Amino acid sequence: MLDLEVVPERSLGNEQWEFALGMPLAQAVAILQKHCRIIKNVQVLYSEQSPLSHDLILNLTQDGIKLLFDAFNQRLKVIEVYDLTKVKLKYCGVHFNSQAIAPTIEQIDQSFGATHPGVYNSAEQLFHLNFRGLSFSFQLDSWTEAPKYEPNFAHGLASLQIPHGATVKRMYIYSGNSLQDTKAPAMPLSCFLGNVYAESVDVLRDGTGPSGLRLRLLAAGCGPGLLADAKMRVFERSVYFGDSCQDVLSMLGSPHKVFYKSEDKMKIHSPSPHKQVPSKCNDYFFNYFTLGVDILFDANTHKVKKFVLHTNYPGHYNFNIYHRCEFKIPLTVKRENTDGQTETCTTYSKWDNIQDLLGHPVEKPVVLHRSSSPNNTNPFGSTFCFGLQRMIFEVMQNNHIASVTLYGPPRPGAHLRTAELP
């Protein structure tokens, strides 16, 4: 049985690990994976058709704990303990819930002190006792008790008193004064762990298509930059097509991983693929997982030729590998009797809406089916790749965008220059 410390408005954890409000989803999953022998039977709950309409939930079924992540920013918003018989809980080092100590109203009052009178919810048959950043829900012993505690049954605060001996059914840890209005807080400094995170990514355009990325980055530590917090740095960096490997390293730092392409599965869709000479060396990616960005370099010139932006929607094959990239992409829309207008595509845009903005359907997609090996099946099904203005939009079956690949401008005569190399 887990023995955990409750810190209102902040966290639930022990000496080895801690689930902190504002923590990214990937870090919470990493904790669960590291302690998989202790924390077992974890469920991932999400809405397959409308993933933005409901919170993303990690349900620790064996321990009676739910971690609720904001559907948009994918940071920890609420920690819910829904079965207090499966876990030991303490506050300031003193247990208020264990096999020997029942979490009664008297015990909660002794451990946490005075607060406002409880609020009765007749629909749930529950009393809610609220502290700042912490709420307890008490179950009534019998249906006959309910009318005594209806707010309109008596006058004054006496009508909202919780009956003696009532035990806690659920506990919630959240940010602020109201569980209903709470939002996921900013990522705490303890969660940076030496990484850089992207607050936003703007796609830069020239007259023909995308030209690069402008990233607004967050990092913990001292140094130059706008001080949004005592120890948090906020700064902007830009990378462009044609930048060298060294340029990107100086702008964004070292990647989490370097991946060398073994084959190009989209080559068959290029003009005269049979005429292309096999390369003696492979193009390579810089994978920036916490930015949600991949950067592809040409094997010969070592210059940027492609950017990949990941949305990290649940139900996609690459879910939880990357953090969500909060991108904005300007799209040129041509309408009758007007010059080209610019509309914005974001991480949360749906493909149908983009096609409506364009005013015409895009050409038929290429079907992409990912799997770890030829004999394995992908439980999430295929995705569809649409080409548009030197970009490829990978679209999931629920109409959300899984990733966007940006291509640099074609280099005229590049194949001639390559052929002239000794």
Side-chain angles (χ1 to χ4, degrees), residues 219-257:
C222 56
L226 178 66
L227 290 177
D229 193 293
K231 294 184 180 179
M232 186 179 295
R233 292 174 57 206
V234 182
F235 51 99
E236 286 191 356
R237 294 287 186 268
S238 297
V239 288
Y240 298 91
F241 290 110
D243 280 357
S244 68
C245 178
Q246 290 82 0
D247 291 335
V248 173
L249 286 171
S250 64
M251 287 291 107
L252 303 181
S254 298
H256 295 91
K257 189 176 180 181

Side-chain angles (χ1 to χ4, degrees), residues 350-363:
K350 284 195 166 187
W351 183 245
D352 282 353
N353 297 335
I354 294 174
Q355 290 199 119
D356 291 341
L357 288 174
L358 296 172
H360 61 84
V362 182
E363 294 180 0

Side-chain angles (χ1 to χ4, degrees), residues 121-147:
N121 186 317
S122 57
E124 297 177 336
Q125 293 281 316
L126 292 174
F127 273 105
H128 300 289
L129 189 64
N130 301 316
F131 299 83
R132 181 172 177 83
L134 184 70
S135 289
F136 295 95
S137 298
F138 294 84
Q139 180 75 58
L140 289 178
D141 290 335
S142 66
W143 292 83
T144 56
E145 291 187 34

Side-chain angles (χ1 to χ4, degrees), residues 56-350:
L56 179 61
I57 299 173
L58 296 179
N59 185 14
L60 285 58
T61 57
Q62 180 178 280
D63 306 294
I65 299 171
K66 282 182 182 176
L67 306 176
L68 284 70
F69 293 83
D70 187 274
F72 287 85
N73 58 43
Q74 296 187 337
R75 295 196 303 268
L76 184 55
K77 183 172 75 172
V78 176
I79 303 170
E80 175 187 349
V81 181
Y82 62 87
D83 190 344
L84 278 76
T85 63
K86 295 181 177 180
V87 64
K88 296 179 182 178
L89 300 172
K90 56 188 176 183
Y91 175 65
C92 295
V94 180
H95 283 95
F96 65 90
N97 174 64
S98 67
Q99 292 169 319
I101 303 173
T104 61
I105 178 58
E106 291 80 14
Q107 182 63 50
I108 298 302
D109 185 55
Q110 179 182 337
S111 298
F112 293 90
T115 187
H116 298 290
V119 178
Y120 179 66
N121 186 317
S122 57
E124 297 177 336
Q125 293 281 316
L126 292 174
F127 273 105
H128 300 289
L129 189 64
N130 301 316
F131 299 83
R132 181 172 177 83
L134 184 70
S135 289
F136 295 95
S137 298
F138 294 84
Q139 180 75 58
L140 289 178
D141 290 335
S142 66
W143 292 83
T144 56
E145 291 187 34
K148 299 182 203 174
Y149 304 101
E150 290 282 2
N152 58 1
F153 191 78
H155 298 285
L157 295 179
S159 61
L160 297 176
Q161 294 297 321
I162 296 176
H164 292 286
T167 57
V168 177
K169 185 179 182 183
R170 296 191 191 98
M171 181 190 77
Y172 302 90
I173 302 173
Y174 52 93
S175 177
N177 284 317
S178 170
L179 176 61
Q180 285 71 35
D181 300 331
T182 190
K183 296 180 180 178
M187 190 189 313
L189 292 171
S190 60
C191 291
F192 276 85
L193 303 176
N195 291 305
V196 177
Y197 293 85
E199 185 177 69
S200 62
V201 176
D202 293 322
V203 174
L204 305 175
R205 283 186 67 103
D206 55 23
T208 60
S211 60
L213 303 177
R214 181 172 62 240
L215 302 96
R216 183 174 171 84
L217 303 174
L218 304 174
C222 56
L226 178 66
L227 290 177
D229 193 293
K231 294 184 180 179
M232 186 179 295
R233 292 174 57 206
V234 182
F235 51 99
E236 286 191 356
R237 294 287 186 268
S238 297
V239 288
Y240 298 91
F241 290 110
D243 280 357
S244 68
C245 178
Q246 290 82 0
D247 291 335
V248 173
L249 286 171
S250 64
M251 287 291 107
L252 303 181
S254 298
H256 295 91
K257 189 176 180 181
V258 178
F259 175 75
Y260 289 86
K261 289 180 67 176
S262 58
E263 57 181 315
D264 188 355
K265 294 182 178 179
M266 301 298 283
K267 184 188 293 186
I268 194 171
H269 298 284
S270 62
S272 304
H274 59 282
K275 295 181 181 178
Q276 295 186 3
V277 179
S279 176
K280 294 181 180 179
C281 48
N282 298 326
D283 293 347
Y284 54 94
F285 282 100
F286 277 8
N287 304 124
Y288 291 95
F289 297 131
T290 57
L291 304 183
V293 174
D294 292 329
I295 302 176
L296 179 68
F297 293 90
D298 185 277
N300 295 310
T301 64
H302 302 285
K303 293 184 182 296
V304 176
K305 61 186 289 188
K306 185 192 297 185
F307 296 104
V308 186
L309 314 178
H310 299 270
T311 60
N312 195 43
Y313 276 108
H316 186 257
Y317 186 76
N318 288 334
F319 175 63
N320 201 51
I321 295 178
Y322 298 87
H323 288 245
R324 172 165 287 168
C325 179
E326 301 272 356
F327 59 73
K328 291 182 180 178
I329 304 174
L331 297 175
T332 302
V333 179
K334 294 181 180 179
R335 293 191 173 97
E336 294 182 6
N337 304 323
T338 60
D339 295 332
Q341 296 180 335
T342 301
E343 300 285 353
T344 301
C345 167
T346 71
T347 308
Y348 311 108
S349 299
K350 284 195 166 187

Side-chain angles (χ1 to χ4, degrees), residues 12-50:
L12 179 70
N14 55 27
E15 294 179 353
Q16 285 75 42
W17 50 265
E18 179 182 59
F19 294 123
L21 296 177
M23 169 182 281
L25 171 70
Q27 285 190 20
V29 173
I31 290 173
L32 298 174
Q33 289 174 328
K34 184 177 181 180
H35 300 279
C36 60
R37 294 187 178 182
I38 301 171
I39 306 174
K40 302 177 182 178
N41 302 328
V42 178
Q43 297 175 337
V44 181
L45 308 176
Y46 64 94
S47 172
E48 188 171 0
Q49 290 303 315
S50 52

